[in-house]
């Protein structure tokens, strides 16, 4: 790689630092401007679907949209040009997303209506985490992610059991309410069960018979109760991770005399045997 | 049992290992194929209740359904044949569920419409936990189950109190709103209270009077607040269980004199026999 | 008191033990039969408000209701007769509730419709906790109650802040949506805000303007987020109480030689100095 | 300042102590009366928007409202007069709120309808925390606030991710359901997604197609699951803060040699200076 890098022109190097990097001031500003552009572009596409706005500002939005498309096209080409390994960039998640962000505009010239897909530009916003990294936001996200990964098995068992409950309740409600009250099929009944058990409760399908309302009440109470389970799992995991992080800094400090552990960070003497630490716990900080 | 086992034919033994066991490769594959069959069968029965699909594919689904029924019938007979204790299998939970999974099809020949009960085949999916066991999923489920069993008394008191609150609020709303605004009876009013307190909120019955809306607001705030209680109970339990599991690592510190365990990390003397540890708990780290 | 007790007739004593006590077998059974009677009676009153059931079984329910009323009247008189201090019983919570459980029936002879108040008989069910006490359920309830009392200040601040948010949002929505879309007055707007912020969402009043829907979205996200706060408070409290309960048993055991604490319950030797405990931690159990 | 204070007249001093202070009995009562006035005034403005009440009591409320306005005007002028630094008070949060509490009444003389803004007087109620401070309520609020500040980064990442999910689902639903079923534009679709993901579920816009209902079911399950995340974060933080507060009691163990604190309960030697404790931490119990 270092050989390749040397062969790069100064311009290519500079471009790479600005576009891909976030360490330099220019690189950081580039990312911020890019994120603002993405947000503006998505906002325009969204409000353009409102009839009254489309009628009045449709033309202006159309031109603005093409500006953004050309900007993103130039940016994409620069990314491909300046990346160390072009193919690996184009195949990466961001490479595909960056292409998807401009493709629908050109496709819309052939197929009308395709440019609604432009709203998926929002996916590019995940880039924001790159900038946030500087502010050490990501370490927080890592703790969240770790807690979620740790609890994935418990959450899977939970959702599997909930699915079985939903299936069973759907069949019961389909049989009880019959096809007259909106419960026209088992999938429809399943839709109602999910609407009820998650406590959303649209009210587009509601039980009419006394028995149906009794079972519906039961369904609600089940949904109301089991909402506690994923919360409990996740909270316990996050709590666990936070304690582990805190404990880590405490157990790293070991007394060289008696081998005892469990010292607080500020300790200068072992609280087991009273011998002085050589250098006051320098490796204990995280 | 070992005597009985010896008398079994090789075929019977083989069948039992495949059908009931999950340790061999064949046994595992049998279970996975079975689960896929159950899922497919339930899916077919479910979508068959959609009018448009029944009109077009009704016949095909009917034949497919009979295929599954015969498959499950053969499987059931093989299970009965190869089980060590036939009666105890037939009376077990899975034995009854396995029978219920095929019975409605044959009953539907006599009573039309009975085959909707086939959807209860979904209960057979609990078998999935048997396969998951291999992947040590169940230990996670055990922790969840243990936390739920531990908190059963607290949850019971909670639900008992909530029931009393629901009853009282139902009567009040029935008196306040009168039979004109959908609150036609106390059970109906109870249905409304449950819809409201669980924050489902269908909107099929809503208070119309000012006083009714004030009491409804109160009901919602109660529901919104007390949702915290089961979550709090369960979270504390799960957290407790997880800490207990972590504390088990403490039990790794073993006294070289008496072999006792359960020491705290800072222990310098065994609390069983009083002998001093050579090096203070060096293998206690997890 | 002991003097008074001696003057009591044997019958009065016996009655008191059965009616008020839960320690004897008869006393326990009396309470269970009473609870079943209360449940049955409340059930009858509830279903009697359903038109179709009233039309068909109205007369039977009427007679059954009078039976329960006479039973409860006799019970009430026996309670007054056999209580050690009659006035203090009649003024106590249960004394008032017991009277309220029979009064509406007699009042209904004068004022028609008064007997709907009979449903408040449900309050008598709190007696169930008396029986449950035997099964040491109440200690669990105590932990819950203690956690709730401990967190009362935090919960108060939370609800006060939520009230201010609700008020502010109500005024904004009243101004934005105007009186045309159901937001006819600020109290009505407040009702809508509570329906929304608690995520109940009836849908009887919904914003129609674009700005109104944007503010409504904000309201929902606020409600969705702050639901975490009471849960967090309560969970932390319950967890705290549970740890405190567990830690209690650990800190009671003190070494008489070195004064060290923190021993596990099974400890027979101090893990600080290795000296043997005289009697192996007998006072450490809770 | 002390110089300035000396120059103040006795009346000005007295006024300042009563109006701004909460330590004296008069100052406390002044604040309580003020809060009651604010509550009454807001209540009047709120119920005045109800048609029937406005028709009957409109005139009386109008006069009462002017009384409150003059009271608050006098109070504002006294505050400006007696404050140590007038400009800094007028520019402070409470200074602006106090002015806003009286301005709309006078504006309403010029612009009709402006006095609805009077309801923002509710903001003045934040003053209540000043009185509560005396009852040490605020320390509890501080813990809550601290937990919220601590978890702000995690919560930000959560809301940012949820926003991206909402955007993506909105576009999908807009494409799937088309403009016929209420999903007339992407902002409208976004409103529906928020209504669904927060489990509010008005039911004013509901999916009609099978695919739409399937995606809606997924949205609900996502909303139902991720509600656990902010709860988990906040609970872990609050729990953490509470443990930290409890750990402070550890700081009660003070070394008699160097006066250092922060020892763990089992400490036998000071970890600051290495001197042995006479009796192992006897005053460390809380």
């Amino acid at each position: 790689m270092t050989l390749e890098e040397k062969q790069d022109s100064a311009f290519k190097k500079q471009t790479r630092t600005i576009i891909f990097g976030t360490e330099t001031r220019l690189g950081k500003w580039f990312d911020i401007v890019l994120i603002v552009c993405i947000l503006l572009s998505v906002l325009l596409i969204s409000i353009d679907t409102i009839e009254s706005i489309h009628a009045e500002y449709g033309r202006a939005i159309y031109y603005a949209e093409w500006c953004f498309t050309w900007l993103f096209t130039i940016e994409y080409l620069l990314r491909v040009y300046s990346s160390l390994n072009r193919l690996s960039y184009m195949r990466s998640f961001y490479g595909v997303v960056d292409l998807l962000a401009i493709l629908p505009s050109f496709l819309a010239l052939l197929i009308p209506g395709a440019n609604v897909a432009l709203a998926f530009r929002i996916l590019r916003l995940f880039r924001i985490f790159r900038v946030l990294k500087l502010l050490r936001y990501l370490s927080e996200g890592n703790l969240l992610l770790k807690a979620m990964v740790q609890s994935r098995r418990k959450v899977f068992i939970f959702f599997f059991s909930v699915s079985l409950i939903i299936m069973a309740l759907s069949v019961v409600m389909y049989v009880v309410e019959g096809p007259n009250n909106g419960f026209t099929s088992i999938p429809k009944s399943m839709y109602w069960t999910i609407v009820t058990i998650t406590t959303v409760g649209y009210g587009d399908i509601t039980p009419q018979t006394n028995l149906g309302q009794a079972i519906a009440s039961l369904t609600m109470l089940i949904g109301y109760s089991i909402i506690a389970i994923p919360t409990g799992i996740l909270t316990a995991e996050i709590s666990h991770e936070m304690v582990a992080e805190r404990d880590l800094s405490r157990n790293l400090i070991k007394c060289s005399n008696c081998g005892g552990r469990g010292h607080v960070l500020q300790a200068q003497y072992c609280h087991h045997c009273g011998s002085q630490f050589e250098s006051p716990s320098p490796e204990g900080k995280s």
Side-chain angles (χ1 to χ4, degrees), chain A:
Chain A
M1 286 295 179
T2 42
L3 202 93
E4 247 184 287
E5 272 184 50
K6 271 173 194 156
Q7 291 167 340
D8 284 354
S9 66
F11 171 70
K12 202 167 166 181
K13 253 186 191 165
Q14 182 75 15
T15 313
R16 195 191 307 131
T17 315
I18 293 173
I19 293 193
F20 284 99
T22 51
E23 287 79 26
T24 60
R25 223 162 59 94
L26 260 166
K28 208 175 144 185
W29 273 105
F30 176 82
D31 273 8
I32 288 169
V33 168
L34 185 65
I35 284 161
V36 171
C37 284
I38 297 167
L39 277 174
L40 270 176
S41 146
V42 170
L43 189 75
L44 279 182
I45 299 162
S46 293
I47 62 168
D48 190 37
T49 57
I50 302 176
E51 203 88 339
S52 62
I53 285 172
H54 182 73
E56 210 169 334
Y57 306 104
R59 188 141 293 266
I61 290 172
Y62 181 80
Y63 290 131
E65 184 35 48
W66 271 109
C67 285
F68 282 121
T69 301
W70 282 117
L71 264 177
F72 293 153
T73 309
I74 292 163
E75 183 226 333
Y76 181 70
L77 294 176
L78 277 175
R79 273 185 198 272
V80 172
Y81 165 72
S82 69
S83 63
L84 280 173
N85 189 333
R86 282 168 194 177
L87 228 96
S88 95
Y89 162 68
M90 284 166 78
R91 283 209 212 114
S92 73
F93 173 71
Y94 282 125
V96 172
V97 165
D98 289 350
L99 188 63
L100 282 176
I102 47 175
L103 225 59
S105 278
F106 297 107
L107 273 175
L109 296 177
L110 306 170
I111 316 149
N115 60 342
V116 97
L118 282 174
F120 287 108
R121 270 181 191 168
I122 200 80
L123 288 176
R124 297 193 78 196
L125 279 183
F126 276 108
R127 253 173 226 291
I128 215 171
F129 285 118
R130 277 242 310 273
V131 186
L132 293 175
K133 204 192 325 191
L134 297 171
L135 305 160
R136 83 178 211 61
Y137 272 64
L138 224 59
S139 93
E140 308 282 337
N142 276 345
L143 196 149
L144 274 188
L145 215 70
K146 210 170 158 190
M148 270 185 267
V149 168
Q150 287 273 341
S151 56
R152 71 185 181 288
R153 278 203 290 247
K154 293 194 201 75
V155 170
F156 172 77
I157 290 178
F158 169 71
F159 270 104
F160 183 75
S161 309
V162 168
S163 303
L164 293 186
I165 293 172
I166 288 172
M167 268 304 296
L169 283 169
S170 302
V171 175
V172 170
M173 282 305 277
Y174 174 69
V175 173
V176 167
E177 283 288 318
N180 299 318
N181 303 322
F183 295 81
T184 50
S185 64
I186 289 181
K188 195 72 86 189
S189 181
M190 221 139 84
Y191 165 71
W192 173 86
T193 311
I194 291 174
V195 166
T196 302
I197 221 166
T198 58
T199 76
V200 170
Y202 283 138
D204 51 351
I205 306 171
T206 53
Q208 304 296 328
T209 64
N210 284 333
L211 186 57
Q213 292 185 342
I215 298 168
S217 300
L218 191 76
T219 310
M220 287 165 218
L221 287 174
I222 290 173
Y224 189 66
S225 314
I226 59 181
I227 208 172
I229 298 173
T231 305
I233 296 168
L234 207 81
T235 303
E237 277 309 338
I238 293 176
S239 207
H240 188 82
E241 289 298 327
M242 275 172 62
V243 168
E245 216 168 60
R246 201 179 48 160
D247 278 8
L248 206 69
S249 55
R250 202 176 254 188
N251 276 321
L252 285 175
I253 311 172
K254 186 182 164 183
C255 176
S256 55
N257 183 38
C258 72
R261 285 169 186 279
H263 301 98
V264 297
L265 272 176
Q266 303 86 352
Q268 287 170 316
Y269 292 87
C270 172
H271 65 241
H272 296 293
C273 66
S275 65
Q276 189 168 13
F277 291 144
E278 293 91 42
S279 78
S281 62
E283 76 276 54
K285 279 135 223 150
S286 62

